[in-house]
Structure formats: C-alpha cells, structure tokens
C-alpha cells in the first residue's frame, strides 16, 4: 500500500484482525507490512468488504503468496474472487513462478475458497509457542 491514507491502513487492519485473530496486528505492524508487501482494501460504496495481501516472489522458485480476506457479511458475492484475481495478476506481473496462500485452519470458508480455486494443501503446522493450526496451500500447476 503506497500513498494510502491512515484510514485505509486501519480498514486493512480491521479486516485482517477479524479474520485471523491469532495473527492480530497493530497499526504499526500494518505499516511495516505495507512497506514489504502489496496490501489492498476493498469497498462496496462506503462499506468495507475485505482486504488482500500479495507477498512478492522470493527465492529460486519465485514463490509469491496471495491472500484474499472478505468479511463474513460479504462472502459468496464475488468479492473474494475479485480480490484474489487482482492479487494473482499482480503476483504474476511481479514474476511469480509459484503461487501459495496460507489460511487459518479454523477458517472453513477460507479453505473452501482456496481449494475451489485450485489450491492444494502442502502443510499444516502450529507456530512455536502458539496453539492455532495454519494451512499452507499451493496453486496446482505453479511449481513443485
């Protein structure tokens, strides 16, 4: 998120923290993340709908991570597909050879959304010192 106002950063933070509470961030965390990753906020008129994150490609395999988050009241209306499509296009524009995503295992809607777009599970894990289960997924056909 470059040249984005504080209100948009706060909106991104709100959606992120609501959808993935175990990874809740402060506004300073979001600013730091915005310096490294591409963050986007989605609205329907004045209503906050969701947000996305694109982690640019890294490593020899040029792995990019695309994450789309949609508030529960706006799901199953095409907003996630739009956010994901924009993120995927950006990742490819940045040279991604492999596309991955990560979903909190408790987020059944998020897992179903990812699988419905061709992602396959790669790994399940719990971060050191925590108890929440996370799922890494890879878009089929984008690297090994």
């Amino acid at each position: 998120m470059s040249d984005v106002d504080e209100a948009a950063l706060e909106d991104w933070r709100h959606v992120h923290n609501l959808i993935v509470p175990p990874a809740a961030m402060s506004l300073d965390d979001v600013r730091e993340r915005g310096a490294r990753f591409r963050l986007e906020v989605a609205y329907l008129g004045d209503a906050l709908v969701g947000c996305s994150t694109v982690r640019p490609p890294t490593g020899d395999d040029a792995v990019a991570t695309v994450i789309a988050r949609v508030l529960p009241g706006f799901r199953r209306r095409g907003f996630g597909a739009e956010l994901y499509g924009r993120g995927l296009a950006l990742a490819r524009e940045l040279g991604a050879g492999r596309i991955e995503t990560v979903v909190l295992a408790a987020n059944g809607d998020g897992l179903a959304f990812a699988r419905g777009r061709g992602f396959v599970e790669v790994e399940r894990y719990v971060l050191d010192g925590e108890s929440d289960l996370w799922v890494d997924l890879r878009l089929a056909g984008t690297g090994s």
Side-chain angles (χ1 to χ4, degrees), residues 14-75:
H14 173 77
V15 173
H16 175 273
N17 290 354
L18 184 74
I19 306 244
V20 285
M25 291 186 212
S26 69
L27 193 51
D28 284 340
D29 294 334
V30 175
R31 285 186 197 105
E32 184 276 328
R33 185 162 286 199
R36 295 182 294 128
F37 305 143
R38 305 291 180 94
L39 308 180
E40 183 177 16
V41 183
Y43 302 91
L44 177 61
D46 291 337
L48 177 61
V49 169
C51 71
S52 66
T53 302
V54 176
R55 298 177 189 161
T58 61
D60 292 339
D61 293 333
V63 178
T65 302
V66 176
I67 304 167
R69 300 172 201 86
V70 175
L71 293 171
F74 292 95
R75 291 181 182 163

Side-chain angles (χ1 to χ4, degrees), residues 57-64 91-92 94-100 138-139 141-144:
T58 61
D60 292 339
D61 293 333
V63 178
R92 289 184 169 147
L94 295 172
R98 186 166 76 205
I99 306 292
E100 295 183 346
R138 176 176 305 134
L139 186 58
T142 64
S144 52

Side-chain angles (χ1 to χ4, degrees), residues 122-142:
V122 175
E123 179 181 15
R124 287 180 176 245
Y125 56 93
V126 175
L127 296 172
D128 288 341
E130 298 189 14
S131 60
D132 296 289
L133 185 62
W134 296 90
V135 182
D136 283 347
L137 301 107
R138 176 176 305 134
L139 186 58
T142 64

Side-chain angles (χ1 to χ4, degrees), residues 66 84 99-101 114-115 117-121 137-140:
V66 176
Y84 166 70
I99 306 292
E100 295 183 346
T101 195
R115 289 181 178 130
R117 270 129 197 98
F119 282 86
V120 293
E121 187 173 321
L137 301 107
R138 176 176 305 134
L139 186 58

